[in-house]
Amino acid sequence: MVARRPGWLPPGRTVVLFVAVAAVSVVALVWMGARLLTQERALEAQRLQERREAAADRVVAALEQVLLAEERRLANPGVPDLAVSDDLLVIVAGLTGIKVRPERAIPFYPVMPAARDAPSEPYSPAERLEFIERDHARAIAVLRSQTASPDPSVRAGARLRLARNLRKAGRPDEALEVFADLSADTGTVSGLPAGLVGRSARCLLLEELGRRDALRREAGELREALASGLWTLDRDAYLHYAGQVTRWLNQEPPADDGRQALAEGVCWLWENVRADTRKGDTENVTFSMGRRSLRFQGTPVTVLWRASGDEITALVAGPRYQQRRWFDPVVTASDFSSVRIGVSDRGSGPIFGTPPAAGLPTTLRSATATALPWDISVATADPDSALSGFAQRRRFMIFGLALVVLFVIAASYFAGRAVSRELAAATLQTDFVSAVSHEFRTPLTSMKQFTEMLVEDDDLPPEERRAYYRAQDRATRRLSRLVESLLDFGRMEAGARPYRLEPLDAGELVKTVVEEFRQEGGCNSFSIECAVPEGAVPIDGDREALAQALWNLLDNAVKYSGDSRTVGVEIDDSGKLVSIHVRDQGLGITPTERRQIFEKFARGSSAAASGVKGTGIGLAMVRHIVDAHGGKVTLESRSGTGSTFTIELPRGRMNRCRES
Ligand code: ADP
């Protein structure tokens, strides 16, 4: 592993520290952002709810006003102000009967008017002839004379019996005519209007005779008459005749146009409110009021009443009236554009507007909480668009947050990189200083030792004295080489190292450097094999610089040889290039380190493993020098089996080399 390459491989702890700081800041920012968004959303939802609450209160108050206005009119139902509208009934119910305005507006009533049927005595002779003597001809004669009676009820009873006898006597066409006369009568028969009895009897006879076309026509007319409220019938009578008509017409019963529901409302009022009022203590109760929403076969009807003593005045309003006069004005009068209002009756469904939908935020005002007969619901009209402001703010916040997070990450990255660079540079500086100090200390120590020995012992034999002086000389040269190389490195870094190229013989240069190295390199135990071609190998180069480069390679080969003791130097003079190989069989260099070790101060794992001291500038100088000569330095190596460094230089011209 390359030791402390500045900048790009920051010390692990610094990176971890900066990553941790950045991660904590980012997490804190994201958490704060998420909380802000949640709060913002809750606030928006609260604002919408307040808007719904206010709208619900306004709707309830407005509907209350509407109903109060209607109830004020009930206090005096006779005044013309209480004009009767379509789909609205005004009821005045007393002990004896009920009055409904407008007249004939509904198909049936809770009670029928007291019938004024004729007594049965006038018909006794005719009935004896009909049922006992079975003499229909005489019975017909008796009854015909009775049909001229001035009393409409006597006349109607006689016509019914006459037609019956005619039918029994096998004279159906005459019977049909008499039934037709009965239809035009104003009296009653068996408590029922003569008109209704006559028409339905005609239909029955036509059915019996199998006259289908005539029956359909008659039944259609009867249906219209029933629906128009021509006769005052109670519910049972109405339903009986309406059912018969439906059967004759062979059709589905017609859909209620609202009038039947109104009639049901009147019946409900009669059966419930009137009964309750009569049960109560009328002495003490001056009057009471009530409101009730009812539904008959899906049609909503609202009943407002005011009971005073035995008399009840009431309004029965159908859905059209409620919508036109009550709900529409309320909803359009105020600005409810942002909400959807729904009116429904307890449990049975919507009456007006939009019923509350599942999942939509809705405010409810139930009938029990207000004085209204309905439940009111107010939902936010379009929650998505209502929250669009919030969504926009949220997008803006997320964007801002993402920017801040990016900024924090980028700032942490650059700060971490700068700090780790500084740390790496500081470490490298310390390592470099200690390595240089160590490099200095070795020759200085030996110089000191030999100097002391020379000073202390005057009787040293001349041979030994000369050996000491030679050792001092080697140490001095080593020191001076070290100083020179440091100065050279400084100049190279500053771009101030001048190269004076001259024609050289690479073989001669290599031999000289190897020889010097053998003598001065302190490598007595090493065998340095030098293979140089016979003839001159011309190159253009700076002798001193190339010698320095070669020296550095030899020095490394020796330093990182491990247990091996052989170093080889060869020159390969092939064509345009001159290659100088420095080969060792030492520790080798891992593939990942092969490029990095040429950087200044970079030191490889082999250096750390072998405990060899060094400054990390040797190969950087080699590359610088070779580059300056237009050549390149390459490396072949395998970890554990040795390395070959090759300096490739352009070949110089032979004649120039010879001249030199
Ligand atoms: P140093 O002062 O550390 O030798 P260099 O720049 O000369 O600095 O070398 C850089 C690194 O390259 C060394 O620390 C060593 O790890 C590796 N190296 C250089 N030459 C060799 C070699 N011949 N064999 C193994 N490793 C080498």
Side-chain angles (χ1 to χ4, degrees):
M1 192 191 76
V2 172
R4 302 177 188 106
R5 187 176 168 216
W8 298 106
L9 288 175
R13 282 192 189 168
T14 320
V15 174
V16 169
L17 182 73
F18 272 90
V19 167
V21 169
V24 168
S25 316
V26 167
V27 167
L29 271 171
V30 169
W31 180 77
M32 270 163 47
R35 278 201 61 100
L36 256 172
L37 283 174
T38 317
Q39 273 178 8
E40 177 78 2
R41 198 187 167 84
L43 265 174
E44 193 67 37
Q46 197 179 331
R47 268 199 289 275
L48 288 179
Q49 188 183 348
E50 279 166 9
R51 224 176 285 165
R52 286 197 306 273
E53 296 279 347
D57 288 343
R58 286 214 309 276
V59 170
V60 168
L63 285 175
E64 182 63 31
Q65 287 303 317
V66 166
L67 293 190
L68 279 175
E70 296 281 21
E71 283 163 351
R72 269 197 295 277
R73 302 199 307 174
L74 278 182
N76 194 358
V79 295
D81 175 43
L82 197 49
V84 175
S85 311
D86 173 35
D87 213 27
L88 176 75
L89 301 177
V90 180
I91 315 291
V92 180
L95 279 176
T96 47
I98 186 162
K99 222 168 82 195
V100 178
R101 279 173 45 203
E103 286 167 6
R104 295 188 182 181
I106 49 176
F108 57 86
Y109 298 81
V111 280
M112 288 213 252
R116 273 200 328 102
D117 279 359
S120 56
E121 291 87 70
Y123 310 116
S124 300
E127 283 180 347
R128 201 177 54 250
L129 288 169
E130 180 184 355
F131 294 113
I132 297 169
E133 296 176 22
R134 297 193 184 279
D135 187 349
H136 300 301
R138 283 177 56 209
I140 289 167
V142 172
L143 287 166
R144 268 207 203 281
S145 63
Q146 285 178 328
T147 56
S149 166
D151 183 341
S153 291
V154 172
R155 209 166 52 222
R159 279 183 169 145
L160 180 70
R161 288 169 176 83
L162 172 62
R164 195 169 64 206
N165 277 283
L166 284 169
R167 183 173 63 83
K168 287 179 181 172
R171 293 154 59 185
D173 289 320
E174 286 175 62
L176 284 171
E177 270 174 37
V178 175
F179 279 140
D181 294 341
L182 178 61
S183 311
D185 261 335
T186 50
T188 58
V189 185
S190 310
L192 290 166
L196 170 66
V197 174
R199 287 187 189 209
S200 71
R202 259 179 79 88
C203 288
L204 274 172
L205 187 51
L206 287 171
E207 185 186 23
E208 200 177 286
L209 296 172
R211 298 184 190 172
R212 303 225 52 83
D213 290 344
L215 172 62
R216 202 165 298 120
R217 201 172 50 248
E218 290 277 336
E221 285 171 12
L222 179 53
R223 162 180 277 183
E224 274 172 33
L226 273 171
S228 70
L230 181 62
W231 302 298
T232 305
L233 303 173
D234 64 12
R235 191 203 280 115
D236 292 344
Y238 171 79
L239 291 178
H240 168 75
Y241 285 105
Q244 272 205 326
V245 166
T246 303
R247 187 172 60 78
W248 286 325
L249 289 175
N250 204 12
Q251 285 175 356
E252 289 290 303
D256 179 24
D257 59 357
R259 290 147 36 91
Q260 199 167 322
L262 286 178
E264 293 282 9
V266 176
C267 291
W268 179 89
L269 185 82
W270 182 263
E271 283 156 21
N272 293 278
V273 180
R274 182 176 160 278
D276 286 353
T277 311
R278 297 198 65 190
K279 263 187 262 155
D281 180 358
T282 49
E283 297 266 309
N284 295 327
V285 179
T286 46
F287 78 93
S288 65
M289 301 189 67
R291 298 164 175 177
R292 186 69 183 262
S293 174
L294 303 162
R295 194 174 281 264
F296 301 104
Q297 289 179 353
T299 308
V301 169
T302 297
V303 184
L304 307 178
W305 71 87
R306 185 179 195 280
S308 176
D310 281 337
E311 192 179 72
I312 300 166
T313 50
L315 291 182
V316 180
R320 289 192 304 280
Y321 181 84
Q322 294 179 58
Q323 168 153 1
R324 206 175 51 240
R325 300 292 293 274
W326 297 351
F327 303 136
D328 276 346
V330 165
V331 171
T332 50
S334 308
D335 176 26
F336 291 123
S337 57
S338 61
V339 290
R340 281 199 191 127
I341 294 162
V343 178
S344 55
D345 52 8
R346 261 160 283 179
S348 58
I351 296 175
F352 170 80
T354 318
L360 272 189
T362 307
T363 296
L364 287 174
R365 292 282 185 274
S366 73
T368 44
T370 64
L372 299 176
W374 315 284
D375 295 331
I376 307 295
S377 67
V378 176
T380 303
D382 185 356
D384 292 340
S385 78
L387 287 172
S388 69
F390 164 72
Q392 214 171 344
R393 281 199 296 283
R394 184 178 58 182
R395 270 198 297 278
F396 186 71
M397 274 178 71
I398 289 175
F399 179 69
L401 201 68
L403 269 185
V404 174
V405 166
L406 273 181
F407 177 77
V408 167
I409 291 173
S412 305
Y413 170 73
F414 286 117
R417 210 175 82 160
V419 168
S420 59
R421 269 187 175 181
E422 286 302 313
L423 283 173
T427 315
L428 281 176
Q429 212 172 348
T430 316
D431 288 356
F432 180 70
V433 170
S434 93
V436 169
S437 316
H438 183 268
E439 293 286 305
F440 272 104
R441 196 181 298 130
T442 315
L444 278 174
T445 309
S446 66
M447 273 173 73
K448 190 175 165 226
Q449 274 174 356
F450 288 117
T451 308
E452 276 172 6
M453 283 193 281
L454 284 167
V455 169
E456 282 169 11
D457 195 349
D458 290 336
D459 304 328
L460 275 176
E463 195 52 38
E464 208 169 324
R465 184 175 289 273
R466 261 197 302 280
Y468 286 177
Y469 279 129
R470 271 200 299 278
Q472 270 188 327
D473 181 46
R474 272 202 308 278
T476 313
R477 279 169 187 267
R478 189 170 172 186
L479 260 181
S480 112
R481 195 179 290 281
L482 193 59
V483 170
E484 277 307 313
S485 94
L486 284 174
L487 286 173
D488 267 0
F489 178 71
R491 281 199 288 271
M492 283 173 197
E493 280 291 286
R497 165 73 164 87
Y499 290 97
R500 277 182 299 275
L501 301 192
E502 53 180 333
L504 296 174
D505 178 359
E508 185 267 328
L509 176 72
V510 167
K511 277 193 270 182
T512 312
V513 174
V514 168
E515 195 45 45
E516 273 179 33
F517 189 76
R518 275 194 191 117
Q519 288 172 16
E520 296 176 22
C523 53
N524 298 338
S525 58
F526 274 80
S527 147
I528 300 177
E529 294 163 1
C530 184
V532 176
E534 283 295 305
V537 183
I539 52 168
D540 290 333
D542 182 316
R543 167 176 280 279
E544 209 180 315
L546 287 176
Q548 166 90 65
L550 202 52
W551 184 283
N552 285 358
L553 292 181
L554 283 168
D555 196 34
N556 280 350
V558 168
K559 278 200 301 190
Y560 303 110
S561 264
D563 296 334
S564 159
R565 285 289 173 269
T566 311
V567 170
V569 184
E570 285 167 33
I571 290 189
D572 192 1
D573 180 14
S574 59
K576 291 181 179 173
L577 287 176
V578 173
S579 306
I580 305 168
H581 307 286
V582 179
R583 185 170 292 124
D584 67 64
Q585 291 157 15
L587 307 172
I589 297 158
T590 61
T592 48
E593 293 176 358
R594 275 178 211 157
R595 284 174 65 83
Q596 295 161 0
I597 54 172
F598 287 95
E599 303 288 335
K600 64 179 177 183
F601 306 128
R603 306 209 64 223
S605 54
S606 54
S610 59
V612 177
K613 295 285 175 192
T615 56
I617 61 172
L619 289 179
M621 286 176 78
V622 173
R623 192 176 65 176
H624 198 280
I625 292 165
V626 176
D627 283 355
H629 283 78
K632 64 175 181 181
V633 56
T634 59
L635 165 63
E636 279 174 41
S637 179
R638 243 193 289 157
S639 205
T641 56
S643 319
T644 302
F645 285 88
T646 303
I647 293 174
E648 288 180 358
L649 295 169
R651 198 169 193 278
R653 276 178 296 164
M654 186 65 80
N655 54 350
R656 282 173 56 197
C657 183
R658 285 213 183 94
E659 278 164 24
S660 69

